[in-house]
Amino acid sequence: MRTLIAYATSHGTARNCAEHLLELLDGDTTLVQLGVQKVPPLDDFDQIIVGGSIHIGRIQKPVRKFLVDRYDELVTKRLGLFICCLAEDKEADDELATAFPEPLRERAIITSAFGGCFLPARVNFIQRKAMEMIIRRMPDNEDYSPGDDVDHLDMEAIKVFAERMNQQP
């Protein structure tokens, strides 16, 4: 099975998830960072995985552009979609719904939110202050102190995603 993982990352979390998927997927897998690397012809692949991270309620512009520019090809492919975000449960589902058009979500064999990370050293002052307010309101973060890294990646979700993509059509 030939797989393309096309992703965008702002601070490295989506790249980290894409690299984990790369390790778990069977067959020949190509990793492409949207907006940075050239995307090979989609005809070269049996399945496509598209992912990115959510910032201020939206997935990165290179992902949005890829979905629009390659929509007609994507709807003909075996498809997996993922996001990285700190939201959980219903809020994460809402983020997925906002990130990807409904026809692609319905066509996808799996969609998933992989959790997220907040690394204060990698963001500017305004982003840091906004994220710190959000993190303080999240469950299980009572001990959070400004400047702390927050890692809420769901490695099990990544494993389940890869297992589903590895299943033969």
Side-chain angles (χ1 to χ4, degrees):
M1 180 96 44
R2 294 169 300 157
T3 304
L4 172 67
I5 303 173
Y7 72 95
T9 192
S10 298
H11 305 292
T13 302
R15 176 180 37 250
N16 186 17
C17 293
E19 289 171 349
H20 282 295
L21 282 172
L22 178 70
E23 294 172 12
L24 297 170
L25 291 169
D26 296 336
D28 182 23
T29 303
T30 301
L31 197 62
V32 172
Q33 184 174 349
L34 298 169
V36 175
Q37 297 170 292
K38 184 177 181 196
V39 177
L42 299 190
D43 286 342
D44 293 351
F45 302 94
D46 303 305
Q47 58 186 17
I48 312 291
I49 296 171
V50 182
S53 52
I54 302 297
H55 297 273
I56 313 171
R58 296 185 79 183
I59 201 159
Q60 290 102 330
K61 187 176 181 179
V63 175
R64 294 191 313 266
K65 182 174 177 6
F66 177 72
L67 296 173
V68 169
D69 292 350
R70 300 295 185 92
Y71 180 85
D72 291 340
E73 295 171 276
L74 291 170
V75 295
T76 68
K77 294 290 184 178
R78 194 165 192 266
L79 193 59
L81 305 170
F82 76 87
I83 60 170
C84 298
C85 66
L86 288 172
E88 297 175 337
D89 304 320
K90 167 100 173 71
E91 191 178 338
D93 292 340
D94 291 345
E95 298 281 11
L96 264 165
T98 301
F100 300 105
E102 184 176 359
L104 291 180
R105 290 191 324 273
E106 289 176 355
R107 175 93 176 104
I109 62 167
I110 188 167
T111 63
S112 187
F114 291 163
C117 295
F118 172 57
L119 308 170
R122 295 186 184 178
V123 299
N124 67 38
F125 177 80
I126 293 169
Q127 291 169 320
R128 186 170 54 251
K129 291 301 176 190
M131 285 304 300
E132 287 172 354
M133 287 180 4
I134 291 167
I135 290 167
R136 282 193 197 105
R137 287 187 255 138
M138 293 173 58
D140 303 324
N141 283 324
E142 306 84 32
D143 297 332
Y144 175 76
S145 295
D148 287 354
D149 287 352
V150 175
D151 184 347
H152 283 280
L153 278 183
D154 186 346
M155 300 310 286
E156 184 63 23
I158 296 171
K159 181 181 171 193
V160 167
F161 189 99
E163 288 170 352
R164 180 67 180 101
M165 293 303 294
N166 283 334
Q167 292 175 356
Q168 294 301 314

